[in-house]
Amino acid sequence: MSVIDRDFENYINSILNPFTGRLGELQETAYTEGFPVIKNATARFLATIIALKRPEKILEIGCCIGFSASLMSEFMAGGGHITTIDRYDIMIDRAKQTFKEMELEKKITLLEGDALEILSEMDEKFDLIFMDAAKGQYIQFLPHCVRMLNKGGALIADDIFQNGYIAMERQDIPRRQRTTYTRMRRFLYSALNSEGLVSTIIPVDDGLLLSTKTADEVILKELDYDE
Ligand SMILES: C[S@@+](CC[C@H](N)C(=O)[O-])C[C@H]1O[C@@H](n2cnc3c(N)ncnc32)[C@H](O)[C@@H]1O
């Protein structure tokens, strides 16, 4: 769900065409079968940023059936490489099928398992990191992302508005959503206020955070906030 005006959103979606060719077929399949892949306006945003920055090394946290990874592979630098992570067998099997069918097996490496455990053991540098996994874990992923991001690199995080809950008072949020809400608020505070990151919020679909690393070392500032 988007938090922007519905008529305005419909207008934007009416002029943003879906992708064509094999990428378009994958997008259509994902939407038809109900896989939680990025929406069309977000896909357009991501494609534009990738085409603009031409990253050589990309890390994705949250692969699903491989739509956003396939999309990024089309617009990144030729000869570049994507590492993507997922822990759910159904998604992993479908993503492997996607990468085989699209002949992307050499360009995309799928790491299987819990992202936090995998990130803790990784020590590589990336030009762009796309965070699109469990929203309540973004705050835990962040230190690993800033550690592995090259200076001048970009971090993009999806679904930061949490269907609009992010702007509400804590007591007005359904109880089951409160922990994720608090963690997302802490994540946004760190990303928007830390030394060595320049960040903004993009109100596309369910909201994106876009950050760039401007220093060799990022000193993460933490929000003191109880769950
Ligand atoms: C929103 S979907 C990703 C969609 C994908 N980026 C796309 O647009 O094509 C989120 C995925 O993250 C995976 N996921 C969630 N939390 C995870 C974690 N802690 N470790 C690994 N995978 C995780 C889920 O299994 C799911 O497939």
Side-chain angles (χ1 to χ4, degrees):
M1 190 181 103
S2 168
V3 294
I4 61 170
D5 177 80
R6 180 68 57 196
D7 289 342
F8 194 63
E9 187 186 25
N10 288 341
Y11 167 69
I12 292 172
N13 281 320
S14 74
I15 58 170
L16 286 175
N17 294 325
F19 292 86
T20 54
R22 286 206 282 184
L23 196 58
E25 285 165 23
L26 178 62
Q27 185 180 25
E28 176 70 29
T29 302
Y31 294 165
T32 310
E33 294 187 28
F35 287 105
V37 305
I38 49 171
K39 297 195 182 66
N40 192 47
T42 299
R44 283 276 160 205
F45 175 82
L46 199 56
T48 309
I49 290 283
I50 305 274
L52 189 72
K53 265 197 84 57
R54 305 283 289 164
E56 287 180 7
K57 282 191 72 190
I58 295 179
L59 172 65
E60 176 181 69
I61 310 169
C63 177
C64 194
I65 66 167
F67 171 58
S68 50
S70 304
L71 170 93
M72 293 191 286
S73 78
E74 194 159 312
F75 295 94
M76 71 190 296
H81 190 267
I82 298 179
T83 301
T84 182
I85 305 173
D86 213 292
R87 66 178 170 191
Y88 189 29
D89 287 346
I90 292 175
M91 304 304 185
I92 290 168
D93 291 346
R94 286 292 294 260
K96 283 182 179 168
Q97 193 186 321
T98 298
F99 300 148
K100 190 168 184 211
E101 283 169 10
M102 296 186 71
E103 296 168 34
L104 291 170
E105 286 167 303
K106 287 201 179 114
K107 198 162 189 172
I108 303 176
T109 301
L110 173 57
L111 302 179
E112 302 172 28
D114 179 69
L116 195 55
E117 285 173 24
I118 292 173
L119 293 173
S120 309
E121 289 177 5
M122 282 176 81
D123 193 17
E124 281 178 62
K125 289 285 183 190
F126 295 92
D127 305 308
L128 187 137
I129 301 178
F130 180 49
M131 207 190 272
D132 191 21
K135 314 307 160 199
Q137 287 189 294
Y138 281 13
I139 184 71
Q140 293 169 291
F141 298 152
L142 186 62
H144 297 293
C145 291
V146 296
R147 172 174 62 78
M148 291 193 281
L149 199 60
N150 278 322
K151 189 174 165 185
L155 169 68
I156 301 171
D158 193 24
D159 294 326
I160 59 164
F161 291 163
Q162 302 191 274
N163 294 330
Y165 288 141
I166 198 70
M168 290 165 63
E169 293 299 326
R170 194 168 191 278
Q171 67 270 15
D172 298 330
I173 314 271
R175 280 185 187 279
R176 65 181 190 287
Q177 296 282 344
R178 285 187 190 167
T179 304
T180 310
Y181 161 87
T182 306
R183 291 181 184 176
M184 184 60 82
R185 281 213 160 189
R186 287 174 51 212
F187 166 74
L188 291 176
Y189 180 86
S190 278
L192 293 166
N193 293 287
S194 293
E195 216 176 290
L197 286 179
V198 174
S199 307
T200 191
I201 286 171
I202 314 284
V204 167
D205 293 327
D206 197 24
L208 296 157
L209 173 97
L210 173 62
S211 296
T212 187
K213 185 170 163 180
T214 54
D216 293 322
E217 290 279 318
V218 173
I219 301 160
L220 286 175
K221 205 167 164 184
E222 289 177 29
L223 182 66
D224 200 6
Y225 204 94
D226 284 339
E227 289 182 1

